[in-house]
Amino acid sequence: MKKNDSGDFSVLYVEPEDDRVELFPVLAGLKKPVVLLLAEQARIFQRPDDFTTLKHIKRQYELTIVFVISHSGQIAQLAAKNGFPVYQSMDQLAHAVSSGQLVRQRALTRPTVPLDTARATPTIPTRPLPPQPMQVQQQQFPYQQQSPLVETQRQPQQLLSEVQRPQPQPQPLQAPSQAPQQPPLVAATPPKPRSRRLPAIITVITVALILAVVGSFLIFSHSFQSTALEASAPADVGHLSFISSGQVNENTSQGIADQVVLDVHSLPTPRAGKKYYAWLLGDKNQNDPTSIALGALNVTAGNAHLMYAGDAQHSNLLLTTSRVLVTEEDATVTPLSPSMDMQSWRYYGEFSSTPIKAADNVKNYSYLDHLRHLLASDPTLNEMELPGGLNNWLYRNTSKIVEWSGSMRETWEDTKDSAFIRRQTMRVLAYLDGTTFLYKDLPPKSPLLVNERLARVGLLEVNGPNQEPPSYMAHIDHHLRGLLQADDSSTALRKQMSDLTSSMSDINAWLAQVRVDARQIVNMSDAQLKQPPTLTLINDMIANSNHAFAGQLDPSTNQMRQGVIWLHDHMQSLATLELKEVKPNASGVIPQILPGKVSPRAFYRIGLKDDGTPEIR
């Protein structure tokens, strides 16, 4: 991701490898109107759920967000449908701003960071985009310039360093229904020449990097020599990640972990007449083994990237598979299943299904079990008809609390409708407490205003550490800590878990404060609900529910305290399989790979007896 903050807009160039985990925290720290410039094949904003989250961030941080999309009519349609202005190029956006066609988007409250009133036309750093026709009807973009502009082609190194535009005299922003004011045309200021010190700086940096690489190599060599006798584990050559399309509903686990992305590097060129093929495999202990063909790998400069979009039903792949295999097989006839000849096996990885040895692991859960409870299917939730795993329901129910809290302020300010305020607050409490414990906070015989099934499990622990059913927060914490108990959990995994549990602590505190405010509101009389202190409580509920969902920038440290959006995506990233090279002997090696480091005992050699039958050595 590249960022240019030099003008009146913060321009973010979203590259193909960027994802929502990286982008959304950056947005939360911005103060200026934001231009999201999407590169071709950018994988973010491919699903409606991304725009739902973006709308929450826009409201919480009172941002103006504009898209520049030159390559995808489908993404442009999604953006426009969700109320975001869309332009085909930076030149079109600049023309719209200078002509007064672009107006600040409405937020929940009056924006606290207005456009620079000293300059009517904000300066926008622009970048090259090839002129491509948009496959979207014009009326879907009410803020887009009606006549296409011819864009000058520039070089890639000028990506986010475009010239600043001189400013005309100030004039108020125009509403869409008003006739735009046309400012006088102005000439662009030529770019500043590059500093002559730049080559010297690059030279210094290059020398420093070389020294760092050499030093790292010496350290690594010493470390490798000291451990070579202990283990001869093959190096990671890539990974496969389970991702979600977001095509979810309340009644199935579909749309969660229903796609996979495979990246492999350092691949040798396949032998003549051969191709690499990737496969998802079922659990090792399955009586009827599952295999899903992901497709052939196209190798370019030793690297291969493959995305498997899943089936038409968006089936949860993590429910039925836990291993990945890459084979080298006949290029002329696509195989229907992986070869049984292990000489053709090249790369392999799996989630451990071995029960974790821990005193409190009374149910003999494995790493794979904990992962599936979080991301695919949890037995406790299944009994309550809540499929899809814990992560999905935490995200969904927290977003509903944001929605119900956010709807109260405008109603209170406009009509003082005490009955509506009370109903929305009762809905918030239902999701925080769960139906089993809701009536600790509501008057007797209060109606249940939400779907009873969807509120069976609360977000918060409100009846002590052993409450049944456990809250989403406590239940997720249990399984995250279970993953850490795996024998081969790596240092990187432990750091990731530390970040996740820290986020959980912040989310729990924010939601607990929402509950404190909600309990005060439901105990007020109608007359009290119409008094100014009620608005203070509502504002506090909105702020804390937004923090719990989208996070908060800590002003004392300038660090982001992460919310459910970040937690949801990082828990999803735990479903990543590391691939190791299969180093064959006469008949091959099958690595039994656990997440993290690999021990010598993790390999079984397959050989042949004198009579030709296989044996494990």
Side-chain angles (χ1 to χ4, degrees), residues 60 131 143 148 199 216 222 228 385 391 402 455 463 472 476 486-487 500 520 558 565 576-577 597:
Q60 178 181 358
Y143 300 102
S216 299
H222 176 75
E385 303 177 88
N391 192 34
V402 172
N463 198 45
Y472 284 118
I476 288 172
D487 291 338
L500 290 172
Q520 291 187 56
N558 204 33
I565 295 173
T576 298
L577 283 165
K597 66 181 181 180

Side-chain angles (χ1 to χ4, degrees), residues 68-82:
V68 174
I69 306 171
S70 67
H71 57 278
S72 173
Q74 180 181 1
I75 299 178
Q77 286 179 341
L78 282 173
K81 182 178 179 182
N82 283 275

Side-chain angles (χ1 to χ4, degrees), residues 271 276 279 281 323-329 338-348 580-584 587-592:
R271 292 173 295 170
Y276 291 119
W279 312 87
L281 304 180
R323 300 184 292 159
V324 60
L325 173 67
V326 175
T327 61
E328 185 179 4
E329 304 187 49
S339 172
M340 297 301 292
D341 179 7
M342 294 176 186
Q343 291 282 6
S344 68
W345 289 24
R346 295 293 175 262
Y347 307 99
Y348 176 86
K580 308 285 185 182
E581 182 179 358
V582 176
K583 295 197 180 282
S587 299
V589 176
I590 309 175
Q592 309 299 312

Side-chain angles (χ1 to χ4, degrees), residues 325-450:
L325 173 67
V326 175
T327 61
E328 185 179 4
E329 304 187 49
D330 192 339
T332 58
V333 179
T334 302
L336 299 177
S337 60
S339 172
M340 297 301 292
D341 179 7
M342 294 176 186
Q343 291 282 6
S344 68
W345 289 24
R346 295 293 175 262
Y347 307 99
Y348 176 86
E350 69 174 36
F351 292 124
S352 171
S353 57
T354 303
I356 296 170
K357 295 178 181 179
D360 59 347
N361 188 20
V362 295
K363 296 186 178 180
N364 290 321
Y365 286 148
S366 66
Y367 188 99
L368 177 60
D369 292 328
H370 285 299
L371 198 61
R372 282 178 171 162
H373 288 206
L374 291 169
L375 301 174
S377 174
D378 179 82
T380 302
L381 296 189
N382 291 342
E383 291 177 3
M384 299 183 177
E385 303 177 88
L386 297 170
L390 294 158
N391 192 34
N392 170 57
W393 289 101
L394 173 69
Y395 181 89
R396 180 195 177 279
N397 287 10
T398 308
S399 69
K400 294 298 292 184
I401 286 179
V402 172
E403 176 187 327
W404 290 327
S405 299
S407 69
M408 292 194 291
R409 178 163 53 202
E410 187 174 352
T411 298
W412 191 93
E413 291 175 335
D414 292 345
T415 65
K416 302 290 192 301
D417 186 345
S418 58
F420 177 81
I421 302 300
R422 194 184 306 279
R423 289 195 302 271
Q424 296 298 78
T425 306
M426 290 169 65
R427 292 185 173 100
V428 168
L429 283 172
Y431 270 34
L432 290 174
D433 295 356
T435 54
T436 304
F437 308 105
L438 175 59
Y439 293 97
K440 296 168 64 72
D441 291 338
L442 293 185
K445 299 182 180 180
S446 297
L448 181 64
L449 301 177
V450 297

Side-chain angles (χ1 to χ4, degrees), residues 184-210:
L185 295 177
V186 293
T189 303
K192 296 180 180 179
R194 288 187 177 180
S195 170
R196 294 183 178 180
R197 296 180 58 192
L198 186 58
I201 294 173
I202 292 177
T203 301
V204 172
I205 293 174
T206 302
V207 172
L209 287 174
I210 292 173

